Amino acid sequence: MEPLEAELDRARDLAVDDLADAIESIGFECTRCGGCCTGYAPDEPGGAPAGEGAGEADGEGVAGDDRAGDDGCHGDRAGDDREPHTATVFPDEVREVADAADDALGEAYDWRDVARPMPYGLAEDEDGEPAGETFEWALATDDCGDCTFYEESDGRGACTVHDSRPLICRTYPFSVALGGTSQPMGEAVDGEGMVRAHECEGLGREISRADAESLAAALKERAIRELEEAIAVRDGYDPTAAERADGDVVVFDSEGPKNADGTPVGSG
Ligand code: SF4
């Protein structure tokens, strides 16, 4: 059996109760610091690519410093010296988030408003524009490097697409120890059984059994989904797609090669 298929079988066999036990043991409560939805300084250890923080069950979202920096960024964060928040979003999640943003914000959101080509592996052309092939999509970011759906007001942060936030956001700061699944930025700082916990100031806090079970179920769903995606991307890779693309970037996701605006690259 191929390694990814073997890992997918292991993901499907994960016991939610065991994952919940591990999450309870590690402990977690969102402190609403905003770190998991925003850009980060290069010397910060984690940067937290996606956020449970803004995705708390009560919908309040993360708290943050609502002072606007000189460049209009949340808090005292300056956009030009921070790495952009980078969190994977799958193609069906892009569409779901776009629909949620339409409803929440009252304006039409298209693919590019929600997602950008995952930057890893892309080069820059002579004009400084991204070029090359990449795999999957990252949540779009604003000029400050923050997730485009992150908001702060009166000292409170919020996810404007809370009920439709991607799996990576619903499960931060946890991952499972399976090959082919994604790990949040930063080293795992704690672990229990198959669960890994990554840089987050909310770790170690008491969590209810119900919340741990809910998080565990989402974590299993995410592991399965990531492996299914990885298998589909592997099987759908087309080395000639770049010749037919509309621009200099080709993004491979589980639905095949796409242009940077999310439209499919025509078949050869
Ligand atoms: S979609 Fe929401 S929860 Fe996810 S990173 Fe953006 S603001 Fe945070």
Side-chain angles (χ1 to χ4, degrees):
M1 184 181 291
E2 295 276 349
L4 287 175
E5 277 79 356
E7 295 297 273
L8 177 56
D9 282 350
R10 292 181 67 201
R12 287 175 172 151
D13 287 342
L14 287 169
V16 170
D17 272 352
D18 291 346
L19 299 178
D21 288 347
I23 290 168
E24 253 189 315
S25 172
I26 294 168
F28 171 67
E29 179 187 24
C30 177
T31 64
R32 300 177 179 175
C33 68
C36 54
C37 300
T38 54
Y40 60 96
D43 59 351
E44 286 176 353
E52 176 62 21
E56 283 295 275
D58 61 8
E60 288 281 334
V62 291
D65 181 344
D66 64 346
R67 293 169 297 155
D70 291 344
D71 53 5
C73 296
H74 298 301
D76 57 1
R77 300 186 281 273
D80 55 1
D81 63 353
R82 299 177 69 81
E83 297 293 327
H85 172 274
T86 302
T88 303
V89 56
F90 295 135
D92 61 324
E93 293 179 321
V94 174
R95 289 185 282 269
E96 189 176 345
V97 169
D99 287 346
D102 283 357
D103 292 343
L105 303 168
E107 55 186 279
Y109 271 67
D110 66 19
W111 189 284
R112 292 213 77 164
D113 296 323
V114 174
R116 61 194 169 99
M118 186 60 74
Y120 308 128
L122 291 178
E124 284 188 356
D125 64 17
E126 59 270 19
D127 298 322
E129 296 297 319
E133 293 181 346
T134 189
F135 301 94
E136 297 293 358
W137 302 87
L139 282 166
T141 51
D142 60 21
D143 291 342
C144 305
D146 300 341
C147 175
T148 193
F149 300 107
Y150 177 73
E151 285 189 348
E152 287 180 8
S153 63
D154 298 329
R156 308 284 294 176
C159 171
T160 53
V161 292
H162 172 264
D163 291 342
S164 299
R165 66 199 189 281
L167 278 166
I168 190 89
C169 305
R170 289 162 50 195
T171 52
Y172 192 81
F174 296 104
S175 65
V176 293
L178 287 175
T181 59
S182 72
Q183 309 291 310
M185 282 179 170
E187 295 298 312
V189 295
D190 201 353
E192 182 76 28
M194 290 294 288
V195 175
R196 298 287 175 268
H198 299 259
E199 196 77 35
C200 174
E201 69 174 36
L203 289 173
R205 295 172 178 242
E206 189 172 348
I207 183 171
S208 71
R209 181 67 192 180
D211 285 349
E213 288 178 351
S214 175
L215 233 170
L219 196 55
K220 176 176 179 176
E221 181 186 352
R222 180 183 131 203
I224 292 170
R225 187 60 207 286
E226 287 177 342
L227 284 156
E228 289 174 341
E229 278 281 330
I231 290 167
V233 168
R234 179 199 65 196
D235 293 347
Y237 180 69
D238 175 0
T240 68
E243 299 165 12
R244 305 187 304 278
D246 291 340
D248 294 331
V249 172
V250 178
V251 183
F252 292 92
D253 66 25
S254 58
E255 298 172 350
K258 289 178 179 157
N259 299 299
D261 63 0
T263 57
V265 171
S267 56

